[in-house]
Amino acid sequence: MAKTTCVVSCGSSEVLAARISERLKADLIRTEIRVFADGESKIRLRQKITGDRAIIVQSLYPPVDTNLFRALSLISKSRECMTDVTAVIPYMGYARQDMEFLPGEIVTMAVLGKLFKGAGASNVVVVDMHSTRGLELLGANAINVTAVPALARYFADMHIDNPLVVSPDSGGAARAELFASNLGADTIMLDKKRDRNTGQVQITTTESDVARGRNIILVDDMISTGGSIVKAAQFLKSQDCGEMFVACTHALLVDGAQGKIKAAGVSEVVGTNTVPGQNGVVDVSEDIVRKLAAA
Ligand code: R5P
């Protein structure tokens, strides 16, 4: 007999959850959330969770801990009535905390790995996880979905003349290469150094003059405060590049990041709907469903 699936949304990824359920032809179970004066969430399912498999969809953008706790609560609730519970976390908060950079720092991704497993998730699906190390810390059943080809298709439709794809740091080089090969463009990587104590970022490159006159597409997994992208854009501008665009999977854009990035000379920031908002224009539901079918 065919397995029946339900998709459960818990507030932070309503549109994406609805699209995933449509593509899977699965029931969509919505939740009602009340927040008490002390900050506690009271979650109520609008329908009973039924079927053989539950897919919980919840991105962990701010408020990160609140969204995380709501996801864990619904995983745990689903596990009461079925054994196959998949957590789809399109944007995985804490993904950058994947190692002990300074002595005594908590590797929070390892904690999250234990929390998802403890709550009852059989597997965790993430879009463009910051690092493979972070994915490994989530556990053996963690699956990464890449939105990079979808982002590249969006840029292909923009018909940008003489494009140069740039990774702002070595950690994102493979992502930028994948984007460039999908777009049929050249790529370079900048050298980013971050002071772990002050958070200050410095950008350089070993390749001189390569950006002169080229229209730039900066590719990154996420933009939070915009600090890294602003530094990269200022550096590329000092190299007399042409127009600049940004392609990123998770456009969090906190703390006035959008204004700062525009002020640094970037024309447009294109993100995906892992983080809803005006920059989340590229839909990742098809990529997620393709992986879910294989999981
Ligand atoms: C760093 O390695 C990441 O890929 C991002 O470039 C960075 O974390 C984005 O953060 P922010 O926008 O605050 O610089």
Side-chain angles (χ1 to χ4, degrees), residues 18 47 59 64 86-87 106 120 130 146 151 153 156-157 175 194 200 203-204 210 225 231 249 253 259 271 275 284 287:
Q47 261 172 269
S59 257
V64 182
T86 296
I106 307 295
H130 177 67
T146 181
L151 278 164
R153 279 196 298 279
D157 289 343
R175 202 175 292 119
R194 187 187 289 272
Q200 290 293 312
I203 303 269
T204 52
V210 70
T225 63
K231 287 280 181 190
T249 305
L253 299 169
V275 179
V284 294
D287 302 289

Side-chain angles (χ1 to χ4, degrees), residues 96 130 168-169 171-172 175 192 194 201 220-229 254 257 261:
R96 291 173 292 179
H130 177 67
D169 53 34
R175 202 175 292 119
K192 179 174 96 179
R194 187 187 289 272
V201 167
D220 213 344
D221 59 325
M222 61 175 291
I223 299 179
S224 179
T225 63
S228 311
I229 283 295
V254 299
I261 294 168

Side-chain angles (χ1 to χ4, degrees), residues 226-244:
S228 311
I229 283 295
V230 164
K231 287 280 181 190
Q234 288 167 341
F235 175 79
L236 291 160
K237 210 168 179 193
S238 75
Q239 305 278 300
D240 289 328
C241 68
E243 203 171 353
M244 284 185 282

